[in-house]
Structures are given as structure tokens and as C-alpha cells.
Amino acid sequence: MKTLTRVAEMQAASAGLRGAGKRVGFVPTMGALHEGHLALVRRAKQETDVAVASIFVNPAQFGPGEDYLNYPRDLARDSDLLQREGAEVLFAPPAEDIYPAGFQTCAEVGPVSAPLEGEFRPGHFRGVATVVLKLFHIVQPHRAYFGRKDAQQCVVVSRLVRDLNLAVEIVVCPVVREPDGLAMSSRNAYLNEEERRAATVLYKSLCRARELMQGGERRAAVIADEMRRHIEQEPQARIDYAAVVDAETLLPVEEVRGRVLVPLAVWIGRARLIDNLLVEEKDGRFSFQL
Ligand code: AMP
């Protein structure tokens, strides 16, 4: 595996790969890698010729007072994991290379950035869209792999790609979970033993929502209220949102019809965790991705 730290080196490498007719698969990450990230690398390896992973803790997507400075970083360990997974290139640029002095241009995706994460983390998706657009220009991938754990991010990035005619195909991959259902996340490292147990409340409340729909419940308000009631029973948990929204527009729905997303953001101790359930209803039959 080649490790490249400079933007110019990565640009030269991608030009070389494209010139040689290789199909490039790209997995952007912020590091502190876990099985969720590695599943994306595996998928990129299966579907393309060269898997490029990036590690960049993007300051622009953290708000003031968020965990940018404390975000877990371990490049040596991450590099080892990527090497073992068979990634061909690791791109790990310093922040000064991505945001040089005088930087003043941003990508702003419209209404799909506004609710949910956008409401609780103002400016977050401007930071995400900007860095993803820059990374796509630098790495020049044919395909880019994202996890559905960050469902709104997938919607925002897909919108960015369509709206700006970017020649990259976005592949959305399933949520990878711990054996007890907790979605894997670099932020799970913030949890102590008791909080780690409490954190399963996110998954359990999504299971509860699924159970209600399997029982024929379609009313969004009933489903969201039941999830909130369930989460509030966990004393360690503090809800930012628990919603039932259209999977494309991310706007609230009254009833579960077509493709619907059930996203959650819940604080457990100092960790802000997100998770979601994707529901597809067709002719009165539901299918679920959890
Ligand atoms: P991050 O390092 O948190 O920015 O995540 C990098 C990529 O990995 C994003 O596309 C995430 O959605 C994805 N990812 C993170 N955790 C998981 C997970 N548990 N399952 C699937 N994908 C994940």
C-alpha cells in the first residue's frame, strides 16, 4: 500500500491510474477505522481495480464546541488495517494542504442539508460537501463508497454529485453493527462500560419502530412517539431527534408510504450517536434495512 500525504502526489497518482485504464474505488473516512469502514474498502476492492482510502479529520464539518480536537486519531493502526484489507493507496493529507491560507470557497447543498443533522449541527453539511467535492477532484474516483449509517450524508453527497454533474458513482453500503446491534462508530470509543450498555437503546428503539410497522402501524407520529418513549426510559440517553421522514427529501411524513427513513440522534454521555432504519413500503408490504 502506498501512503500519500500531499494533494499534488495524490493527484499525480490518480492521473496515472486513470491513464493506465484502472477503475478507482474511493472510501473517504476520518480514520479511527473499524469494521464499518473496512467493509467499504472490501466492497471497493470487489468492484473496482484500485481501492483508495482517505483519512482526513475534516475541521470544516465540526461545529464550535464539537469534538474535532478530541476525535480519535491513530494513523499507524489505521494504516495497518487498510494494508491488511488490501487497499492500494492511503491518502492522508494535512489540514493545511486541504485548506491552504486564503481558502474561501464552499459547496452548499440545499434543503436536504437543513433538517435532522443540519438542524443540530449547523454548517456540518457545508463542511462535508466541500471536503467530499475536493476529495473527488483530487482522487478522481469512478466509484465512491459511503455507509448508510450516515444516511443524510449519503443523500447530501448524492445530491451534490447529480447537481454538479460529477462523474462518480455513489455506492451506499449497509450499516455494520456490533453483535448487540450498536452501529459501529469511531465515537463509540467515548463510551464507558455503563454508557456502552445504554447505547444499545438506539438500535432497540429502531427495532421497536420496525415491530410497530410490521404490526401494521403507518402513522409517523405514533412510531416517532413510541421511539422517543422507549429512548427516554434509558436514563443515560438524551434525544436530539427521532423522526420519520421521506427518504429522498428528508422532510417529515405523516404516514409510512414508499421509501421512508427513520433516523435517530441520541447523546449517550459525551458521545453523540446516530442510527437509522430504512423502510420501503410497496402495495402495503414493508421491507426494512436496519
Ligand atoms: P467516518 O470516518 O465516520 O467519516 O465514516 C467514513 C465512512 O464510513 C462514511 O461513509 C460512513 O458512513 C461509513 N461508516 C461509518 N460507520 C459505519 C458503519 N457502522 N457501517 C457502515 N458504514 C459506516
Side-chain angles (χ1 to χ4, degrees), residues 9-265:
E9 287 178 322
M10 185 67 239
Q11 278 171 322
S14 18
L17 290 168
R18 282 204 160 231
K22 303 283 189 202
R23 286 186 56 79
V24 177
F26 179 41
V27 179
T29 82
M30 299 205 299
L33 301 182
H34 49 67
E35 202 39 49
H37 299 111
L38 299 179
L40 303 182
V41 174
R42 235 166 271 144
R43 181 89 178 261
K45 285 214 47 97
Q46 280 164 15
E47 297 182 355
T48 63
D49 300 319
V50 177
V52 178
S54 66
I55 295 181
F56 181 63
V57 185
N58 175 31
Q61 70 187 69
F62 289 79
E66 287 188 4
D67 54 346
Y68 175 67
L69 292 173
N70 299 324
Y71 198 82
R73 291 166 173 86
D74 191 343
L75 191 59
R77 177 180 169 275
D78 288 348
S79 165
D80 208 52
L81 289 169
L82 289 170
Q83 174 119 36
R84 265 190 269 167
E85 218 49 72
E88 276 84 1
V89 180
L90 163 58
F91 177 48
E96 314 83 75
D97 231 24
I98 297 292
Y99 300 111
F103 180 89
Q104 52 184 276
T105 306
C106 287
E108 182 110 36
V109 179
V112 291
S113 293
L116 308 171
E117 289 301 283
E119 186 184 337
F120 286 89
R121 304 184 70 190
H124 170 66
F125 286 119
R126 186 189 312 123
V128 169
T130 302
V131 83
V132 166
L133 181 60
K134 285 167 69 69
L135 289 169
F136 283 178
H137 279 125
I138 297 163
V139 176
Q140 296 279 315
H142 295 83
R143 283 188 173 179
Y145 295 82
F146 289 84
R148 212 202 69 236
K149 189 190 63 97
D150 299 274
Q152 187 174 15
Q153 173 169 279
C154 292
V155 173
V156 168
V157 169
S158 300
R159 198 67 255 172
L160 175 79
V161 164
R162 265 177 288 163
D163 290 354
L164 299 185
N165 308 99
L166 306 181
V168 54
E169 186 186 337
I170 302 301
V171 182
V172 176
C173 301
V175 183
V176 178
R177 299 180 178 282
E178 300 286 356
D180 63 3
L182 176 65
M184 289 194 181
S185 164
S186 307
R187 290 190 167 99
N188 293 349
Y190 300 153
L191 302 168
N192 66 29
E193 216 175 297
E194 193 188 340
E195 290 162 348
R196 172 63 188 80
R197 267 194 300 276
T200 57
V201 76
L202 282 87
Y203 175 72
K204 287 180 186 151
S205 69
L206 293 172
C207 290
R208 180 72 192 116
R210 179 175 61 185
E211 210 175 279
L212 284 177
M213 287 180 260
Q214 282 166 335
E217 183 58 74
R218 280 173 181 275
R219 290 167 298 174
V222 173
I223 297 164
D225 284 349
E226 172 62 12
M227 284 195 301
R228 279 187 215 110
R229 196 197 55 77
H230 184 96
I231 296 166
E232 279 161 5
Q233 283 175 0
E234 170 50 65
Q236 306 273 344
R238 188 166 64 74
I239 304 175
D240 267 358
Y241 59 80
V244 180
V245 301
D246 181 276
E248 249 83 309
T249 64
L250 305 179
L251 294 174
V253 295
E254 288 201 354
E255 290 218 319
V256 178
R257 293 197 190 283
R259 289 184 82 235
V260 165
L261 185 71
V262 182
L264 293 178

